[in-house]
Amino acid sequence: MSLTLPIIPTNWLMGVLAFSVVLLLPTIIYFSGHTALRRYPKLFNAWHWLFGVYLVYVIITGVHTLLMG
């Protein structure tokens, strides 16, 4: 049991890093593009669609990983 304890925080920290790369970093990019494209309505809507498709992809990939992994 004591040999597995050092592995647990590493896996947990890697999970936090993966979470930040997959969800937080694109959110920061989204909000910066959101403010930059506010003056251009068609690009503004396309930006929302692109981010929505990305989120759906992440959710489907996550569910697939949970069910098949």
Side-chain angles (χ1 to χ4, degrees):
M1 183 71 157
S2 64
L3 293 176
T4 60
L5 287 178
I7 296 171
I8 293 171
T10 304
N11 290 338
W12 183 79
L13 290 174
M14 288 303 292
V16 171
L17 179 64
F19 176 78
S20 67
V21 168
V22 170
L23 291 177
L24 296 180
L25 185 63
T27 302
I28 292 168
I29 294 169
Y30 169 76
F31 279 116
S32 64
H34 194 271
T35 56
L37 296 175
R38 190 175 294 267
R39 290 180 272 157
Y40 308 103
K42 290 188 179 189
L43 289 175
F44 188 70
N45 288 337
W47 192 250
H48 285 96
W49 278 102
L50 185 66
F51 192 71
V53 168
Y54 173 75
L55 284 180
V56 168
Y57 171 76
V58 167
I59 290 169
I60 290 172
T61 304
V63 169
H64 181 268
T65 301
L66 287 173
L67 294 177
M68 300 300 174

